[in-house]
Amino acid sequence: MAESDSFFSNKSAKIFVAGHRGLVGSAIVRKLQSLDFTNIVVRTHADLDLTRQSDVESFFAAEKPQYVVLAAAKVGGIHANNTYPADFISINLQIQTNVIDSSYRHGVKKILFLGSSCIYPKFAPQPIPENALLSGPLEPTNEWYAVAKIAGIKMCQAYRIQHGFDAISAMPTNLYGPNDNFHPENSHVLPALMRRFHKAKVEGAKEVVVWGTGSPLREFLHVDDLADAVVFLMGNYSGLEHVNVGSGKEVSIKELAELVKEVVGFQGELVWDTSKPDGTPRKLMDSSMLASLGWNAKISLKHGLVDTYKWYLENVKQ
Ligand SMILES: NC(=O)C1=CN([C@@H]2O[C@H](COP(=O)(O)OP(=O)(O)OC[C@H]3O[C@@H](n4cnc5c(N)ncnc54)[C@H](OP(=O)(O)O)[C@@H]3O)[C@@H](O)[C@H]2O)C=CC1
Ligand SMILES: C[C@H]1O[C@H](OP(=O)(O)OP(=O)(O)OC[C@H]2O[C@@H](n3cnc4c(=O)[nH]c(N)nc43)[C@H](O)[C@@H]2O)[C@@H](O)[C@@H](O)C1=O
């Protein structure tokens, strides 16, 4: 635990947050800044393409970060995952292989790799414990992304076993919050519905189309809670096992749609497009391992939705 303790004790340690303009990376930077960390290193995608192995090597050789949080990835909702399988498997394998390997080679003290709850089998036991990994077939709409993320977990474990490298993995449930991707097709359900309900309200539309049957169950976590958990793990966990990060609360997509509708203030009807895939029927994580370490989520879905809609109105071009 001594090395982990030093994460919080040295606020001038150099920390590379990869993917700092995304939903997760931006929240992690905000969290680190709020804790007075002063030496956060970032690069935009345009400045450093993490799929380019020699560029990543040169960056680590020049910057020599002491800690790395890997929040850069090819990310998207059910439609994007299903439509661009080659991108989701190849870009993610490249980014994580380059960053994890360069971190080890250039003396990084600790790295945290971010996976996702989609690593688990489609019909995993609920709530899903960490040891459900590789116990059954994956959900077909996101198996390419899941295989890349599983390889990331295994790479962290392999480097810890062979080299004693302090590489840990966190598996968040479905996230939302400021700096989310609000693309109409490629985003996740929550930002997609927020945008669609808002547009319908502004245009006075009578109906909003929602994908699938509405019956799938999902667990949502505000990204500020996730960032808090990531920083907590950097300071308090150095184990082989990946760690689930969830809120412990699940809602059906129908309940979520009703809640987003209420927060946005749309008055019309919901229409279900059942030609669109439902994906995994249920995906509730068992986050008791993280709870036993001393961390729990704090932000309720209702509060988080109100906060995110406020951010959307102030920051996203309507
Ligand atoms: N969003 C969610 O619901 C969940 C996310 N996660 C995990 O959290 C992590 C972050 O996701 P999230 O913040 O949502 O994703 P975002 O798409 O919001 O952010 C990803 C970031 O990675 C950057 N990036 C992508 N490709 C490259 C590249 N080749 N080189 C350099 N930078 C690159 C992007 O930059 P640019 O936009 O310029 O390409 C962007 O800043 C991922 O590992 C994801 O699997 C896990 C569970 C749920
Ligand atoms: C985080 C996680 O995210 C993805 O998995 P997912 O949980 O299925 O995520 P999703 O947010 O896209 O959908 C959730 C549910 O919602 C329904 N749904 C309704 N209406 C819209 C809609 O308008 N857009 C979207 N995207 N979904 C909609 C949709 O049909 C589905 O039933 C994976 O990429 C996976 O790789 C991953 O890690």
Side-chain angles (χ1 to χ4, degrees):
M1 196 57 85
E3 191 170 67
S4 294
D5 286 346
S6 71
F7 178 74
F8 286 121
S9 58
N10 181 7
K11 296 292 173 73
S12 58
K14 191 180 269 193
I15 307 171
F16 174 42
V17 179
H20 71 290
R21 294 214 285 208
L23 171 69
V24 171
S26 61
I28 290 169
V29 170
R30 285 197 301 279
K31 183 69 201 175
L32 290 170
Q33 287 171 338
S34 78
L35 294 171
D36 298 327
F37 282 92
T38 55
N39 200 358
I40 304 166
V41 177
V42 295
R43 287 291 184 280
T44 64
H45 189 161
D47 285 341
L48 175 62
D49 183 341
L50 295 168
T51 65
R52 299 177 72 94
Q53 197 256 345
S54 63
D55 292 355
V56 176
E57 275 287 323
S58 304
F59 165 78
F60 274 86
E63 285 289 344
K64 295 210 174 308
Q66 289 159 278
Y67 297 96
V68 174
V69 179
L70 178 46
K74 173 77 181 166
V75 179
I78 193 165
H79 171 80
N81 269 269
N82 213 10
T83 311
Y84 311 108
D87 291 351
F88 275 83
I89 193 164
S90 68
I91 293 172
N92 285 314
L93 282 172
Q94 289 174 69
I95 291 176
Q96 67 204 37
T97 302
N98 293 341
V99 173
I100 296 168
D101 186 67
S102 284
S103 294
Y104 162 64
R105 289 185 191 287
H106 293 280
V108 166
K109 282 187 176 180
K110 182 170 193 166
I111 183 171
L112 183 144
F113 166 71
L114 278 153
S116 161
S117 56
C118 73
I119 57 161
Y120 293 113
K122 176 168 185 159
F123 299 109
Q126 307 284 327
I128 314 172
E130 281 86 358
N131 67 10
L133 185 65
L134 295 173
S135 62
L138 297 164
E139 154 61 30
T141 55
N142 61 33
E143 64 176 306
W144 323 98
Y145 176 72
V147 165
K149 292 292 184 183
I150 294 168
I153 296 173
K154 290 294 167 193
M155 196 160 161
C156 288
Q157 292 178 343
Y159 276 58
R160 178 178 293 278
I161 291 166
Q162 188 178 333
H163 301 303
F165 181 40
D166 194 0
I168 61 171
S169 303
M171 298 303 118
T173 188
N174 293 41
L175 304 169
Y176 68 98
N179 292 315
D180 209 340
N181 167 14
F182 289 87
H183 188 277
E185 283 88 36
N186 294 335
S187 61
H188 291 102
V189 60
L190 196 153
L193 293 185
M194 190 167 281
R195 174 195 170 120
R196 215 172 292 149
F197 283 127
H198 177 75
K199 188 166 180 281
K201 180 178 83 169
V202 170
E203 293 173 355
K206 298 217 165 12
E207 295 176 347
V208 158
V209 174
V210 188
W211 299 355
T213 61
S215 66
L217 294 163
R218 291 290 183 275
E219 177 190 20
F220 292 93
L221 182 73
H222 192 281
V223 75
D224 286 346
D225 267 341
L226 187 263
D228 192 49
V230 162
V231 172
F232 175 86
L233 287 168
M234 286 299 283
N236 295 287
Y237 181 72
S238 286
L240 188 67
E241 187 76 88
H242 60 282
V243 182
N244 288 347
V245 188
S247 62
K249 307 258 171 17
E250 62 181 344
V251 289
S252 69
I253 295 302
K254 182 167 187 310
E255 287 165 334
L256 175 76
E258 295 289 355
L259 203 52
V260 178
K261 177 182 154 175
E262 181 195 323
V263 167
V264 171
F266 171 65
Q267 305 286 339
E269 301 297 318
L270 305 186
V271 177
W272 295 92
D273 177 358
T274 53
S275 70
K276 293 284 199 298
D278 269 344
T280 309
R282 192 178 176 200
K283 202 165 47 166
L284 175 66
M285 310 261 264
D286 177 348
S287 299
S288 55
M289 180 175 166
L290 183 55
S292 72
L293 292 169
W295 188 91
N296 286 289
K298 295 175 191 66
I299 304 171
S300 72
L301 180 57
K302 180 70 185 285
H303 182 89
L305 278 172
V306 171
D307 165 81
T308 305
Y309 187 48
K310 183 169 179 286
W311 184 91
Y312 175 82
L313 291 174
E314 290 167 359
N315 294 278
V316 178
K317 200 162 167 251
Q318 313 297 318

